[in-house]
Amino acid sequence: MMEKRTDAIYPGALPCACANLRRAARAVTQLYDQELRPTGLEPTQFTLLMALNATGEVTQGKLGQRLVIDSTTLTRSLAPLRARGWISSRRGQDRRERLWRLTSAGRRELERAQPYWERAQRRLRKALGQDEWSSLQEVLVRVTRATDEA
Amino acid sequence: MMEKRTDAIYPGALPCACANLRRAARAVTQLYDQELRPTGLEPTQFTLLMALNATGEVTQGKLGQRLVIDSTTLTRSLAPLRARGWISSRRGQDRRERLWRLTSAGRRELERAQPYWERAQRRLRKALGQDEWSSLQEVLVRVTRATDEA
DNA sequence: CCACTATAGATGTATATACATACATATGAG
DNA sequence: CTCATATGTATGTATATACATCTATAGTGG
């Protein structure tokens, strides 16, 4: 179990932007993971269900672009969700493509998990304050876009 | 290989702060990984060398607190660095503890890799602009701290 | 139609990461 | 001092993640 960090080293800025970002991602992932625990969903799995719910049927490649996940990584990340019947796929007109969509069981699962996710969101937003929360979201989108132009 | 995202879906904000953060971390990690490739170091490995250089000799637990990495995760993440002779460890007064430090070979390795890391830093800073770069670093530190209080 | 080349995804392999649990050592109540 | 409990790390197991490479399919110039 991760120890509370408060009483020892209070994480200061790291000189490396990548290290800073990864560290924050670990910290926040742990918070969301904790809240989502009762649902049995990993944060990543919840994100995939939510993304498919938002996009509707979408190819593996486009889903990867939206989430900045290598499309070959998705081959494996999506497999357990399919195994549980929450998503399904079919071949597209272009038979190389795989089109994914949420099943109705998947939609129900997403709805079941949503309150736990909302609790995580509220918990972080409250600890951060509304202003920081907003600027976090904005700067993250800009960073994500910037890497594409860099 | 990750595809350029520009010409298809331009990553918009995700409703989930955790998903946003993880996505940005993936994007930025790929940029740093690309620049660090010639050195043979993974971004995480570079971060560990840099952190040990900054702290001097430190226990595994404290190192984990600083980087928000579970200390048992470090058991495995540090192993390859020790195998290559860049770090070494000894037992502390408290014999349960393991104290880690950079070797002189490790310091040389860090110096060798530094220019590549700096290239990555410059590349991201340039794409982001100085203001966004600064606010990124600040908000990330606050988020990391907030999870400890949340 | 045919040979090239390009693209979508699958598979092999490796690192990063956490949690549950196990083990060794420390520490405090008596 | 001695036992009960707490703490630091190691190990078993699982997910997340990427890249290199492979295969199947698509698109293109002749």
Side-chain angles (χ1 to χ4, degrees):
Chain A
M1 193 46 171
M2 285 292 294
E3 308 140 60
K4 274 281 175 189
R5 302 183 298 275
T6 316
D7 52 61
I9 296 179
Y10 211 60
L14 298 170
C16 174
C18 183
N20 260 327
L21 196 42
R22 291 173 66 87
R23 180 175 67 174
R26 284 188 295 270
V28 169
T29 297
Q30 282 169 36
L31 189 157
Y32 279 71
D33 189 47
Q34 191 181 327
E35 295 296 338
L36 285 173
R37 184 101 14 115
T39 71
L41 287 170
E42 299 290 330
T44 301
Q45 297 178 343
F46 181 83
T47 298
L48 289 172
L49 293 182
M50 198 174 230
L52 284 174
N53 192 48
T55 60
E57 196 175 53
V58 66
T59 67
Q60 191 164 315
K62 294 283 184 217
L63 182 59
Q65 283 172 19
R66 184 174 292 270
L67 299 176
V68 189
I69 295 175
D70 188 288
S71 82
T72 74
T73 294
L74 285 177
T75 300
R76 283 166 246 214
S77 302
L78 293 171
L81 300 179
R82 167 154 67 180
R84 281 177 250 190
W86 295 332
I87 62 176
S88 68
S89 71
R90 64 180 182 87
R91 291 292 174 172
Q93 286 246 286
D94 180 337
R95 307 181 88 80
R96 293 168 304 181
E97 292 180 339
R98 189 173 285 284
L99 290 158
W100 291 96
R101 63 181 183 76
L102 215 52
T103 62
S104 32
R107 232 177 315 280
R108 281 195 301 278
E109 176 66 12
L110 182 59
E111 279 160 23
R112 193 177 67 76
Q114 195 134 356
Y116 297 90
W117 168 72
E118 281 164 3
R119 206 180 332 263
Q121 294 265 98
R122 279 197 303 273
R123 193 173 147 201
L124 181 61
R125 188 170 46 230
K126 191 172 170 194
L128 257 183
Q130 179 61 45
D131 288 358
E132 290 283 351
W133 170 270
S134 305
S135 62
L136 174 65
Q137 308 269 32
E138 282 162 25
V139 76
L140 290 176
V141 170
R142 281 196 283 269
V143 170
T144 303
R145 289 182 177 165
T147 60
D148 224 25
E149 291 144 15
Chain B
M1 193 46 172
M2 287 292 294
E3 307 141 61
K4 274 281 176 190
R5 303 183 296 277
T6 315
D7 52 61
I9 298 178
Y10 211 59
L14 298 170
C16 175
C18 182
N20 259 329
L21 195 43
R22 292 173 65 88
R23 180 175 66 175
R26 285 189 294 269
V28 168
T29 297
Q30 281 169 36
L31 188 157
Y32 279 71
D33 187 48
Q34 191 180 328
E35 295 296 338
L36 285 173
R37 182 101 15 115
T39 71
L41 287 170
E42 300 289 329
T44 301
Q45 298 178 342
F46 181 84
T47 298
L48 289 171
L49 294 181
M50 198 174 230
L52 283 174
N53 191 49
T55 60
E57 196 176 52
V58 67
T59 67
Q60 191 165 313
K62 294 283 183 215
L63 182 60
Q65 284 173 19
R66 186 175 290 272
L67 298 176
V68 190
I69 295 175
D70 189 287
S71 83
T72 73
T73 295
L74 284 176
T75 299
R76 283 167 246 214
S77 301
L78 293 170
L81 299 179
R82 168 154 66 179
R84 280 177 251 190
W86 295 331
I87 63 177
S88 68
S89 71
R90 63 182 182 88
R91 290 293 172 170
Q93 287 245 284
D94 181 336
R95 307 181 89 79
R96 292 169 304 181
E97 292 181 338
R98 191 174 283 285
L99 290 158
W100 290 96
R101 64 180 183 76
L102 215 53
T103 62
S104 32
R107 233 176 316 279
R108 281 195 301 278
E109 176 66 13
L110 183 58
E111 279 160 22
R112 195 176 66 76
Q114 195 135 355
Y116 297 91
W117 169 71
E118 281 163 4
R119 206 181 331 263
Q121 294 266 97
R122 279 197 304 274
R123 193 173 147 201
L124 181 61
R125 188 169 46 230
K126 191 172 170 194
L128 257 183
Q130 179 62 44
D131 289 358
E132 290 282 352
W133 171 268
S134 306
S135 61
L136 174 65
Q137 308 268 32
E138 283 162 27
V139 76
L140 290 176
V141 170
R142 284 197 282 269
V143 170
T144 303
R145 289 181 178 167
T147 61
D148 225 23
E149 292 143 16

